[in-house]
PDB file of all heavy atoms in Angstrom:
ATOM      1  N   ASP A1287      40.305  92.526  80.615  1.00 98.00           N
ATOM      2  CA  ASP A1287      41.173  91.363  80.501  1.00 98.00           C
ATOM      3  C   ASP A1287      42.146  91.261  79.402  1.00 98.00           C
ATOM      4  O   ASP A1287      42.753  90.237  79.203  1.00 98.00           O
ATOM      5  CB  ASP A1287      40.325  90.058  80.559  1.00 98.00           C
ATOM      6  CG  ASP A1287      39.433  89.986  79.245  1.00 98.00           C
ATOM      7  OD1 ASP A1287      39.300  90.998  78.558  1.00 98.00           O
ATOM      8  OD2 ASP A1287      38.876  88.906  79.079  1.00 98.00           O
ATOM      9  N   THR A1288      42.338  92.425  78.733  1.00 98.00           N
ATOM     10  CA  THR A1288      43.396  92.501  77.635  1.00 98.00           C
ATOM     11  C   THR A1288      44.802  92.498  78.183  1.00 98.00           C
ATOM     12  O   THR A1288      45.093  93.343  79.054  1.00 98.00           O
ATOM     13  CB  THR A1288      43.099  93.759  76.779  1.00 98.00           C
ATOM     14  OG1 THR A1288      41.743  93.848  76.347  1.00 98.00           O
ATOM     15  CG2 THR A1288      44.128  93.788  75.694  1.00 98.00           C
ATOM     16  N   HIS A1289      45.552  91.493  77.824  1.00 98.00           N
ATOM     17  CA  HIS A1289      46.896  91.389  78.279  1.00 98.00           C
ATOM     18  C   HIS A1289      47.837  92.202  77.459  1.00 98.00           C
ATOM     19  O   HIS A1289      47.920  92.014  76.290  1.00 98.00           O
ATOM     20  CB  HIS A1289      47.421  89.955  78.278  1.00 98.00           C
ATOM     21  CG  HIS A1289      46.823  89.059  79.344  1.00 98.00           C
ATOM     22  ND1 HIS A1289      45.415  88.934  79.501  1.00 98.00           N
ATOM     23  CD2 HIS A1289      47.341  88.305  80.296  1.00 98.00           C
ATOM     24  CE1 HIS A1289      45.110  88.133  80.442  1.00 98.00           C
ATOM     25  NE2 HIS A1289      46.282  87.707  81.001  1.00 98.00           N
ATOM     26  N   ILE A1290      48.464  93.126  78.147  1.00 98.00           N
ATOM     27  CA  ILE A1290      49.201  94.300  77.391  1.00 98.00           C
ATOM     28  C   ILE A1290      50.749  94.353  77.873  1.00 98.00           C
ATOM     29  O   ILE A1290      50.935  94.247  79.100  1.00 98.00           O
ATOM     30  CB  ILE A1290      48.621  95.676  77.596  1.00 98.00           C
ATOM     31  CG1 ILE A1290      47.247  95.651  77.171  1.00 98.00           C
ATOM     32  CG2 ILE A1290      49.393  96.726  76.776  1.00 98.00           C
ATOM     33  CD1 ILE A1290      46.390  96.967  77.550  1.00 98.00           C
ATOM     34  N   LEU A1291      51.584  94.338  77.090  1.00 98.00           N
ATOM     35  CA  LEU A1291      53.065  94.523  77.306  1.00 98.00           C
ATOM     36  C   LEU A1291      53.628  95.758  76.643  1.00 98.00           C
ATOM     37  O   LEU A1291      53.534  95.825  75.392  1.00 98.00           O
ATOM     38  CB  LEU A1291      53.821  93.313  76.958  1.00 98.00           C
ATOM     39  CG  LEU A1291      55.338  93.404  77.038  1.00 98.00           C
ATOM     40  CD1 LEU A1291      55.809  93.536  78.587  1.00 98.00           C
ATOM     41  CD2 LEU A1291      56.144  92.245  76.447  1.00 98.00           C
ATOM     42  N   GLU A1292      54.199  96.629  77.341  1.00 98.00           N
ATOM     43  CA  GLU A1292      55.025  97.705  76.702  1.00 98.00           C
ATOM     44  C   GLU A1292      56.448  97.473  76.850  1.00 98.00           C
ATOM     45  O   GLU A1292      57.018  97.378  77.935  1.00 98.00           O
ATOM     46  CB  GLU A1292      54.698  99.082  77.265  1.00 98.00           C
ATOM     47  CG  GLU A1292      55.450 100.175  76.499  1.00 98.00           C
ATOM     48  CD  GLU A1292      54.926 101.571  76.899  1.00 98.00           C
ATOM     49  OE1 GLU A1292      54.013 101.804  77.691  1.00 98.00           O
ATOM     50  OE2 GLU A1292      55.427 102.532  76.142  1.00 98.00           O
ATOM     51  N   ILE A1293      57.142  97.425  75.778  1.00 98.00           N
ATOM     52  CA  ILE A1293      58.667  97.173  75.682  1.00 98.00           C
ATOM     53  C   ILE A1293      59.288  98.559  75.638  1.00 98.00           C
ATOM     54  O   ILE A1293      59.061  99.319  74.783  1.00 98.00           O
ATOM     55  CB  ILE A1293      58.988  96.284  74.525  1.00 98.00           C
ATOM     56  CG1 ILE A1293      58.251  94.979  74.553  1.00 98.00           C
ATOM     57  CG2 ILE A1293      60.475  96.047  74.363  1.00 98.00           C
ATOM     58  CD1 ILE A1293      58.429  94.074  73.304  1.00 98.00           C
ATOM     59  N   GLY A1294      60.194  98.807  76.550  1.00 98.00           N
ATOM     60  CA  GLY A1294      60.941  99.990  76.655  1.00 98.00           C
ATOM     61  C   GLY A1294      60.037 101.138  77.133  1.00 98.00           C
ATOM     62  O   GLY A1294      59.902 102.228  76.527  1.00 98.00           O
ATOM     63  N   SER A1295      59.415 100.921  78.208  1.00 97.00           N
ATOM     64  CA  SER A1295      58.414 101.844  78.735  1.00 97.00           C
ATOM     65  C   SER A1295      58.939 103.159  79.272  1.00 97.00           C
ATOM     66  O   SER A1295      58.248 104.129  79.488  1.00 97.00           O
ATOM     67  CB  SER A1295      57.554 101.231  79.921  1.00 97.00           C
ATOM     68  OG  SER A1295      58.437 100.612  80.810  1.00 97.00           O
ATOM     69  N   GLY A1296      60.192 103.186  79.620  1.00 97.00           N
ATOM     70  CA  GLY A1296      60.845 104.387  80.055  1.00 97.00           C
ATOM     71  C   GLY A1296      60.274 104.765  81.477  1.00 97.00           C
ATOM     72  O   GLY A1296      59.975 103.990  82.265  1.00 97.00           O
ATOM     73  N   ALA A1297      60.192 106.212  81.593  1.00 97.00           N
ATOM     74  CA  ALA A1297      59.843 106.721  82.872  1.00 97.00           C
ATOM     75  C   ALA A1297      58.430 106.321  83.358  1.00 97.00           C
ATOM     76  O   ALA A1297      58.289 106.085  84.579  1.00 97.00           O
ATOM     77  CB  ALA A1297      59.850 108.204  82.859  1.00 97.00           C
ATOM     78  N   ALA A1298      57.521 106.200  82.501  1.00 97.00           N
ATOM     79  CA  ALA A1298      56.192 105.801  82.843  1.00 97.00           C
ATOM     80  C   ALA A1298      55.487 104.932  81.730  1.00 97.00           C
ATOM     81  O   ALA A1298      54.884 103.968  82.060  1.00 97.00           O
ATOM     82  CB  ALA A1298      55.300 107.002  83.197  1.00 97.00           C
ATOM     83  N   GLY A1299      55.603 105.330  80.605  1.00 98.00           N
ATOM     84  CA  GLY A1299      55.106 104.642  79.406  1.00 98.00           C
ATOM     85  C   GLY A1299      53.662 104.973  79.063  1.00 98.00           C
ATOM     86  O   GLY A1299      52.915 105.487  79.788  1.00 98.00           O
ATOM     87  N   ILE A1300      53.388 104.587  77.722  1.00 98.00           N
ATOM     88  CA  ILE A1300      52.030 104.708  77.383  1.00 98.00           C
ATOM     89  C   ILE A1300      51.071 103.898  78.154  1.00 98.00           C
ATOM     90  O   ILE A1300      49.841 104.229  78.425  1.00 98.00           O
ATOM     91  CB  ILE A1300      51.921 104.310  75.800  1.00 98.00           C
ATOM     92  CG1 ILE A1300      52.602 105.271  74.901  1.00 98.00           C
ATOM     93  CG2 ILE A1300      50.459 103.966  75.370  1.00 98.00           C
ATOM     94  CD1 ILE A1300      52.786 104.679  73.486  1.00 98.00           C
ATOM     95  N   ILE A1301      51.653 102.829  78.649  1.00 98.00           N
ATOM     96  CA  ILE A1301      50.763 101.717  79.338  1.00 98.00           C
ATOM     97  C   ILE A1301      50.055 102.290  80.619  1.00 98.00           C
ATOM     98  O   ILE A1301      49.086 101.858  80.968  1.00 98.00           O
ATOM     99  CB  ILE A1301      51.586 100.544  79.651  1.00 98.00           C
ATOM    100  CG1 ILE A1301      50.752  99.325  79.875  1.00 98.00           C
ATOM    101  CG2 ILE A1301      52.596 100.819  80.788  1.00 98.00           C
ATOM    102  CD1 ILE A1301      51.393  98.066  79.738  1.00 98.00           C
TER     103      ILE A1301
END
Side-chain angles (χ1 to χ4, degrees):
D1287 63 346
T1288 303
H1289 287 54
I1290 308 170
L1291 172 67
E1292 181 164 8
I1293 298 173
S1295 52
I1300 290 172
I1301 200 161

